[in-house]
């Protein structure tokens, strides 16, 4: 099958940890890799953000990344890319006139806009994964939401126009229904994790972290942005004695002093009286993340909202229990009371109580860790994700062929 992945701002080649580089990049990269391994012809279309980038870059396994000229060839915040999506879509239409894919998979709302523009003239079926929804972002961020004002309307139109919406969690189905997009148009396939890379069998000495100075260690990781809720983890730490908190993510360590969010979190830690127990690590090499996770007693995932969240899966794959806020995709990934605990968002007392309870029992943590690893292997490996995505693709292409025959 010839598959076109469209990911306008999240390239599988990007370094993770930046403001606009995170779970979507991982999803596109790993799904592309798995589909190519199965013999599919996969091309990922992403926006050219550097004039020196080659037009096409081969990926290990046989897939290709194609850099699309749309807007200036420089790094732009993703919210500034909306105006360049017509040019992106026009490029796709020209490319697909000569080499027509069997199916298009769009990632994020602006990719959906470009994909429908590109696929429409050629009658190519389009499936859409939003990764995040404007209605949810607006609800939680209010006036701080920097998305283009057109976002929610465009997302609603994409959901009603594309051939299939591929949601990553059941919570998203409900959010889409509230937007007027019928659940009958939606399939749910979760995100995944590389369970060979993230695995039990610790070697904490290789972890890029300060020597353990406390009895217990908590870890939170991801992009260093306010919505990830690291402030909640810091407030909770002030209620948890003899424990340190490591925050992994953001710019390289030498640039943390110039990062506004890093400064805000350090100031908060000082105000809470835990400045000596909070360690900001900055960007951590992906190859060293499993060892860092295994060095922790618990992994905290405390965002105010989370469309899916890959970090809980990474922790569970390493057999480390998770304490996560009861939001979005966490409700699908974390089995409350079996692989971790789900707690009310925004409540540091609830986070602290769950953490203290788990830190008080090595036996329970081991049981949760074993169950977490088993849950990942049963539901959340990339081969299992690719199985579900392939089923959606095959259904779309079969339906399209049937419609063509009828016409």
């Amino acid at each position: 099958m010839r598959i076109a992945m469209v990911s306008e701002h999240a390239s599988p080649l990007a370094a993770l940890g930046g403001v606009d580089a995170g779970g979507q990049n991982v999803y596109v990269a790993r799904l592309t890799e798995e589909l190519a391994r199965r013999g599919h012809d996969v091309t990922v279309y992403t926006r050219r953000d550097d004039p020196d980038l080659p037009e096409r870059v081969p990926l290990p396994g046989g897939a290709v990344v194609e850099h699309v000229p749309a807007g200036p060839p420089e790094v732009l915040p993703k919210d500034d890319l909306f105006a360049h999506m017509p040019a992106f879509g026009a490029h796709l239409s020209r490319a697909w006139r000569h080499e027509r894919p069997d199916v298009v998979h769009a990632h994020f709302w602006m990719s959906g806009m470009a994909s429908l523009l590109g696929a429409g003239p050629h009658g190519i079926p389009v499936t859409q994964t939003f990764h995040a929804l404007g209605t949810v972002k607006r609800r939680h961020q209010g006036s701080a939401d920097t998305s283009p004002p057109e976002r929610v309307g465009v997302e609603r139109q994409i959901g009603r126009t594309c051939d299939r919406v591929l949601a990553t969690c059941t919570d998203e189905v409900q959010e889409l229904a509230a937007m007027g997009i019928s659940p009958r148009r939606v399939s749910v396939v979760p995100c995944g994790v590389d369970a060979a890379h993230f695995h039990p069998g610790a070697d904490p000495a290789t972890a890029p972290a300060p020597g353990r100075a406390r009895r217990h260690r908590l870890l939170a990781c991801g992009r260093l942005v306010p919505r990830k809720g690291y402030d909640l983890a810091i407030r909770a730490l002030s209620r948890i004695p003899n424990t340190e908190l490591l925050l992994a993510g953001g710019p390289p360590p030498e640039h943390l002093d110039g990062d506004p969010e890093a400064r805000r979190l350090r100031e908060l830690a000082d105000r809470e009286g835990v400045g000596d127990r909070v360690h900001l690590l900055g960007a951590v090499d992906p190859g060293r993340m499993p060892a860092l996770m295994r060095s922790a007693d618990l992994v905290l995932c405390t965002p105010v909202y989370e469309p899916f969240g890959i970090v809980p899966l990474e922790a569970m794959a390493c057999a480390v229990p998770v304490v996560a806020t009861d939001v979005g995709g966490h409700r699908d990934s974390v089995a409350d009371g079996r692989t971790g605990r789900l707690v009310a968002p925004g409540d540091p007392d609830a986070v602290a109580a769950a953490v203290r309870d788990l830190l008080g029992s090595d036996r329970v943590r081991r049981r949760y860790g074993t169950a977490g690893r088993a849950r990942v292997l049963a539901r959340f490996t990339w081969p299992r994700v690719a199985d579900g995505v392939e089923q959606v693709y095959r259904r779309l292409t079969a339906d399209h062929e049937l419609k063509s025959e009828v016409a």
Side-chain angles (χ1 to χ4, degrees):
M1 187 181 298
R2 181 173 290 141
I3 301 164
M5 294 275 187
V6 181
S7 183
E8 94 294 337
H9 77 275
S11 169
L13 303 173
L16 300 184
V19 173
D20 290 331
Q24 183 177 328
N25 303 71
V26 173
Y27 182 100
V28 172
R30 297 288 80 82
L31 179 58
T32 294
E33 179 182 313
E34 182 62 32
L35 292 171
R37 183 181 296 121
R38 297 177 181 208
H40 297 293
D41 181 353
V42 188
T43 300
V44 182
Y45 297 87
T46 192
R47 196 186 74 88
R48 176 184 292 278
D49 60 7
D50 185 326
D52 296 326
L53 288 172
E55 181 179 346
R56 293 168 67 84
V57 178
L59 292 173
V64 173
V65 174
E66 181 169 316
H67 292 111
V68 174
E74 60 190 46
V75 176
L76 298 173
K78 69 174 182 281
D79 290 329
D80 293 349
L81 300 180
F82 177 65
H84 305 299
M85 288 305 100
F88 199 120
H91 177 93
L92 295 177
S93 183
R94 290 191 297 271
W96 294 342
R97 185 184 307 127
H98 302 293
E99 193 172 16
R100 183 186 186 280
D102 298 304
V103 65
V104 175
H105 189 168
H107 299 272
F108 201 59
W109 68 280
M110 285 185 281
S111 293
M113 176 184 172
S115 296
L116 290 171
L117 290 171
H122 311 297
I124 306 167
V126 175
T127 186
Q128 171 73 37
T129 297
F130 285 106
H131 293 280
L133 290 170
T135 51
V136 178
K137 186 176 182 182
R138 183 176 296 174
R139 181 189 316 145
H140 289 283
Q141 294 193 3
S143 60
D145 180 9
T146 58
S147 300
E150 298 90 347
R151 176 174 179 172
V152 172
V154 172
E155 285 181 337
R156 184 177 290 111
Q157 184 63 25
I158 291 169
R160 293 172 174 175
T161 305
C162 71
D163 296 87
R164 197 77 184 162
V165 177
L166 206 163
T168 57
C169 66
T170 51
D171 184 74
E172 186 179 348
V173 180
Q174 299 168 13
E175 294 287 353
L176 290 165
M179 294 167 60
I181 299 166
S182 170
R184 292 191 298 271
R185 298 182 53 78
V186 183
S187 298
V188 178
V189 179
C191 295
V193 65
D194 184 344
H197 181 58
F198 291 92
H199 63 85
D203 183 10
T206 66
R212 183 177 294 219
R214 306 283 173 174
R215 180 183 174 194
H216 293 297
R217 171 176 289 178
L218 309 176
L219 172 68
C221 48
R223 291 184 295 138
L224 207 61
V225 293
R227 82 164 182 86
K228 289 298 183 179
Y230 299 125
D231 49 354
L232 178 61
I234 290 171
R235 290 188 176 96
L237 187 68
S238 68
R239 298 152 170 85
I240 306 167
N242 198 26
T243 301
E244 65 182 358
L245 171 65
L246 309 186
L247 302 179
E254 63 271 19
H255 295 151
L256 280 173
D257 289 344
D259 185 88
E261 182 65 2
R263 291 198 302 269
R264 183 180 78 89
L265 294 174
R266 282 173 170 163
E267 291 168 0
L268 174 63
D270 288 340
R271 290 198 304 272
E272 291 287 324
V274 294
D276 62 328
R277 295 196 280 137
V278 175
H279 307 286
L280 273 68
L281 306 181
V284 174
D285 185 287
R288 304 180 74 184
M289 276 304 302
L292 179 60
M293 284 193 163
R294 293 190 298 258
S295 78
D297 297 292
L298 298 171
V299 170
L300 303 188
C301 304
T302 55
V304 293
Y305 69 96
E306 186 60 79
F308 184 82
I310 291 178
V311 172
L313 298 185
E314 293 173 342
M316 288 158 57
C318 291
V320 179
V322 178
V323 174
T325 43
D326 187 10
V327 297
H330 290 173
R331 295 166 179 162
D332 285 5
S333 57
V334 180
D336 187 32
R338 285 185 290 144
T339 70
R341 298 284 178 83
L342 294 175
V343 298
D347 186 345
D349 290 323
V351 174
V355 169
R356 289 195 305 266
D357 188 40
L358 289 175
L359 292 182
S361 175
D362 294 345
R363 180 182 59 81
V364 171
R365 292 201 307 278
R366 285 195 297 269
R367 187 175 77 238
Y368 278 21
T370 299
R373 175 73 179 177
R375 184 173 176 84
V376 163
L377 294 178
R379 303 186 182 198
F380 298 110
T381 63
W382 286 114
R384 290 197 175 276
V385 172
D387 287 342
V389 173
E390 271 188 322
Q391 290 179 16
V392 173
Y393 291 170
R394 295 193 189 285
R395 175 180 174 181
L396 287 184
T397 54
D399 289 349
H400 180 75
E401 289 172 1
L402 181 61
K403 291 176 183 177
S404 299
E405 291 173 3
V406 171

